[in-house]
């Protein structure tokens, strides 16, 4: 191992490379920090229409009511 | 009897070397480790089998090895092919896709194809390559690694990183392994381009290592790829002692706040914005990062589920098989069993250890300034062996506190490490090719 083989250019490349990697990922981190705020501002400027709730299916409601009535009847009768 | 003797001379029994036998044993060891110890079986089984295949000796007249990528020579006119030196130093011809496009096929025709309008009256002589040579084309020309990145992007959830952006910096800190190993390789008499290719092993990312060495040091590609994948498989063995050495028991017990929920809009905007940031800073990372974030966009946009599904399942599996097998097959003893390979393995281990230590120590350094402390173990996941190093963090964390799950937190520096190593590769490529 001979450290004299490492030229000044190579050292510069290593330092610059590490700096650029940090710069790229720091910029990404800053962007991620600011992203929810930016999206909130955009949402405020262009509010999206609230999604329509799908109308409850009559069949489902009926089945739920029958299920509840049966359950109620059974628990009452076993007491 | 003479016929039998002649035939015997063509068999592998007559020509096999001790080096071939050693490599076959290494291939069998890889397969054994994958099956018995479950060390990266998806990689080690194809690589191990490839090593065995690549070390069966054959007659030089038979076009069977990865070196035989076919050749086309245009005579009596403009020469459209370029020569390369193969591993034995003799001249061989490298397939130029432009020529094969003109001639339409690769065969043993002595005369040019009359229908090939581009060639007109020029005589074209071509020689077909071997199957392994054609498979290896995807490795030697850096085609497979970006396709792997596409699949990785389609299966990666960046939510944990988006919910805790400060952990992104740990992915950068671990890249210290790349650049210190670059300097170490220079001091061991590697050329600058070779040192760059060796250094990227510290990124702990097999596809990135293959991509960069195909560009900077094709002659070392086999050794670098095998070293990178071997150390990735050995993450559960290499990392824990370093993590424990650099942290105290109380540090390993630090509990971190659960990650917040990330909106769909954030997950869609992120790949495009992060791609722009990374590639504007390091254009050399364009292909790898581009494919990674393209895959992620397919996953997150919600309207290309079929494409994302194909990228993260069938496509990445097929490419992994081809890449692993052909990289393994490129390790013929005469190329691989060189003193340089041993140095590369030594430097690779150092790179991995330095990268792990760099991440852990940087996390400890961050804790000096943070109110909400980071468990320094997650710094070790800054090496981009996804998801193995994150799993190792979880495992070591659970040893200290069985209720402290660090996996989700460790995934953030882990995917940041993928970005960091791709950016580092881009920087080394653009700096060392100029």
């Amino acid at each position: 191992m001979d450290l004299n083989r490492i030229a000044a250019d190579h050292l510069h490349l290593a330092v610059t490379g590490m700096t650029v990697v940090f710069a790229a990922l720091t910029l990404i981190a800053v962007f991620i920090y600011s992203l929810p705020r930016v999206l909130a501002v955009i949402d405020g400027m262009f509010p999206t229409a609230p999604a329509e709730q799908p109308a409850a299916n009559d069949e489902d409601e009926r089945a739920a009511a029958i299920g509840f009535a049966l359950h109620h009847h059974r628990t009452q009768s076993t007491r | 009897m003479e016929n039998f003797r002649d035939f015997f001379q063509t068999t592998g029994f007559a020509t096999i070397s001790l080096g071939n036998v050693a490599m076959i044993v290494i291939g069998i060891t890889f397969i054994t480790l994958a099956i018995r110890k479950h060390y990266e079986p998806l990689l080690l089984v194809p690589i191990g089998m490839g090593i065995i295949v690549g070390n069966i000796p054959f007659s030089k007249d038979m076009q069977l090895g990865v070196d035989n990528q076919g050749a086309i020579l245009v005579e009596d006119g403009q020469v459209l092919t370029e020569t390369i030196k193969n591993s034995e130093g003799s001249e061989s011809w490298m397939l130029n896709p432009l020529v094969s496009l003109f001639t339409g096929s690769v065969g043993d025709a002595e005369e040019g194809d009359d229908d090939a309008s581009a060639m007109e009256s020029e005589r074209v002589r071509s020689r077909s390559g071997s199957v392994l040579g054609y498979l290896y084309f995807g490795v030697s020309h850096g085609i497979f690694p970006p396709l792997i990145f596409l699949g990785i992007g389609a299966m990666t959830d960046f939510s944990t990183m988006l919910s805790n952006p400060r952990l992104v910096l740990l992915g950068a800190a671990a890249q210290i392994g790349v650049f210190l190993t670059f300097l170490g390789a220079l001091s061991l008499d590697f050329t600058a381009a070779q040192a760059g290719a060796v250094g990227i092993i510290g990124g702990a990312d097999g596809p990135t290592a293959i991509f960069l060495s195909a560009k900077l040091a094709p002659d070392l590609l086999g050794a670098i790829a095998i070293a990178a994948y071997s150390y990735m498989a050995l993450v559960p063995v290499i990392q824990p002692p370093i993590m424990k050495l650099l942290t105290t028991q109380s540090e390993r017990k630090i509990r971190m706040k659960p990650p917040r929920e990330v909106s769909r809009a954030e997950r869609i905007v992120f790949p495009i914005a992060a791609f722009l940031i990374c590639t504007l800073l390091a254009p050399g990372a364009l292909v790898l990062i581009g494919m990674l974030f393209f895959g992620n966009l397919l996953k997150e946009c919600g309207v290309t589920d079929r494409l994302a599904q194909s990228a993260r399942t069938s496509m990445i599996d097929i490419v992994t098989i081809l890449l692993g097998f052909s990289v393994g097959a490129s390790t013929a003893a005469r190329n691989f069993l060189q003193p340089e390979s041993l140095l590369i393995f030594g430097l690779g281990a150092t790179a991995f250890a330095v990268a792990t230590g760099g991440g852990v120590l940087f996390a400890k350094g961050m804790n000096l300034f943070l109110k909400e402390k980071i468990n320094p173990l997650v710094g070790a996941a800054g090496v981009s062996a996804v998801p193995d190093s994150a799993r190792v963090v979880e495992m070591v964390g659970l040893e200290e506190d069985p209720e402290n799950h660090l996996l989700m937190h460790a995934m953030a520096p882990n995917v940041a490490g993928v970005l960091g190593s791709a950016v580092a590769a881009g920087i080394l490529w653009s700096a060392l090719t100029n």
Side-chain angles (χ1 to χ4, degrees):
Chain A
M1 196 169 191
D2 183 2
L3 293 178
N4 292 326
R5 291 198 180 107
I6 302 170
D9 281 356
H10 300 139
L11 267 176
H12 287 161
L13 173 59
V15 173
T16 310
M18 203 58 207
T19 310
V20 174
V21 170
F22 259 104
L25 293 188
T26 305
L27 278 174
I28 288 176
V30 170
F31 173 77
I32 295 170
Y33 262 120
S34 55
L35 186 57
R37 292 164 187 81
V38 173
L39 289 174
V41 171
I42 293 171
D43 267 353
M45 288 163 68
F46 310 101
T48 48
E52 280 186 20
Q53 292 292 324
N57 191 331
D58 283 354
E59 283 293 311
D60 291 347
E61 277 185 357
R62 211 171 290 143
I66 292 168
F68 175 74
L70 269 172
H71 175 73
H72 188 70
H73 174 72
R74 282 182 185 161
T75 48
Q76 290 293 323
S77 56
T78 50
R79 270 177 201 167
Chain B
M1 191 63 190
E2 200 167 316
N3 282 347
F4 181 76
R5 201 180 304 126
D6 288 345
F7 171 73
F8 183 75
Q9 289 305 318
T10 67
T11 66
F13 289 109
T15 50
I16 196 162
S17 67
L18 207 60
N20 290 133
V21 175
M23 289 306 295
I24 289 170
V25 170
I26 290 173
I28 293 169
T29 309
F30 273 33
I31 295 171
T32 311
L33 281 175
I35 296 170
R36 296 197 69 134
K37 297 276 183 184
H38 294 269
Y39 289 162
E40 293 273 0
L42 301 182
L43 294 170
L44 290 195
V45 171
I47 292 176
M49 193 62 205
I51 292 174
I52 296 171
V53 169
N55 279 282
I56 300 298
F58 51 83
S59 157
K60 277 182 186 168
D61 301 331
M62 300 162 85
Q63 305 288 315
L64 289 173
V66 293
D67 293 337
N68 307 120
Q69 290 194 358
I72 294 180
L73 170 67
V74 180
E75 289 179 352
D76 304 333
Q78 192 186 2
V79 176
L80 294 173
T81 52
E82 54 181 319
T83 51
I84 55 167
K85 295 280 182 190
N86 70 15
S87 55
E88 289 166 340
S90 60
E91 197 176 72
S92 66
W93 290 90
M94 191 164 143
L95 177 64
N96 185 331
L98 186 67
V99 181
S100 67
L101 196 73
F102 285 153
T103 55
S105 66
V106 179
D108 284 319
E110 277 293 315
E111 296 297 326
D113 188 341
D114 291 340
D115 297 332
S117 57
M119 305 309 297
E120 294 179 350
S121 63
E122 288 174 349
R123 285 175 57 221
V124 175
R125 194 173 68 217
S126 63
R127 188 180 65 228
S128 60
S130 71
V131 173
L132 287 179
Y134 292 134
L135 294 182
Y136 194 66
F137 190 86
V139 176
S140 59
H141 287 70
I143 298 166
F144 291 153
L147 293 177
I148 298 257
F149 262 59
L150 178 72
I152 292 172
M155 65 171 75
T156 301
D157 187 352
F158 284 101
S159 298
T160 48
M161 194 170 108
L162 293 171
S163 71
N164 200 347
R166 60 190 177 165
L167 297 180
V168 172
L169 297 180
L170 299 176
Q175 304 316 315
I176 188 80
V178 173
F179 293 103
L180 285 184
T181 311
F182 164 66
L183 297 177
L186 283 168
S187 72
L188 288 171
D189 213 15
F190 283 93
T191 66
Q194 287 175 334
V198 172
I200 204 68
I201 300 174
D205 195 328
T208 306
I210 289 173
F211 183 80
L212 191 64
S213 39
K215 305 291 178 198
L216 293 181
D219 47 328
L220 300 181
L221 199 154
I224 289 171
I226 297 290
Y229 279 117
S230 305
Y231 291 130
M232 280 168 69
L234 292 173
V235 158
V237 179
I238 297 172
Q239 285 199 310
I242 300 165
M243 293 157 76
K244 287 176 186 170
L245 187 74
L246 296 176
T247 52
T248 63
Q249 198 175 34
S250 60
E251 282 173 331
R252 293 197 289 272
K253 284 183 177 173
I254 292 175
R255 292 195 174 197
M256 293 169 69
K257 215 169 71 176
R260 73 171 170 87
E261 202 170 314
V262 175
S263 72
R264 182 166 171 251
E266 283 175 79
R267 284 185 277 127
I268 293 173
V269 172
F270 173 72
I272 300 169
F275 166 73
L276 290 172
I277 292 170
C278 289
T279 51
L280 288 175
L281 268 173
L286 177 79
V287 187
L288 292 174
I289 300 262
M291 293 299 259
L292 179 81
F293 283 128
F294 172 46
N296 191 248
L297 187 62
L298 291 178
K299 173 182 180 282
E300 299 296 356
C301 71
V303 290
T304 52
D305 285 346
R306 267 176 50 199
L307 301 185
Q309 181 68 10
S310 300
R312 69 171 160 254
T313 52
S314 326
M315 201 204 70
I316 198 169
D317 287 348
I318 292 167
V319 179
T320 301
I321 290 169
L322 296 177
L323 183 134
F325 186 76
S326 47
V327 161
S330 72
T331 61
R334 65 177 184 279
N335 306 331
F336 192 80
L337 292 181
Q338 304 287 337
E340 279 172 347
S341 301
L342 212 60
L343 283 177
I344 289 169
F345 270 75
L347 284 164
T350 314
F352 241 76
V354 172
T356 304
V360 173
L361 291 175
F362 194 79
K364 287 174 69 140
M366 283 172 78
N367 277 345
L368 298 175
F369 306 98
L370 292 173
K371 257 190 217 166
E372 282 175 20
K373 304 290 181 201
I374 297 170
N375 188 318
L377 291 178
V378 298
V383 302
S384 63
V386 180
D388 300 271
S389 51
R391 279 200 207 121
V392 169
V393 170
E394 164 87 353
M395 191 184 76
V396 177
L398 287 178
E399 279 175 22
E400 295 299 337
D401 178 356
E403 287 177 5
N404 190 10
H405 292 279
L406 296 170
L407 184 67
M408 290 305 284
H409 302 292
M411 282 308 291
N414 212 185
V415 291
V418 177
L419 296 182
S421 60
V423 171
I427 294 162
L428 289 170
W429 184 24
S430 51
L432 297 172
T433 47
N434 290 336

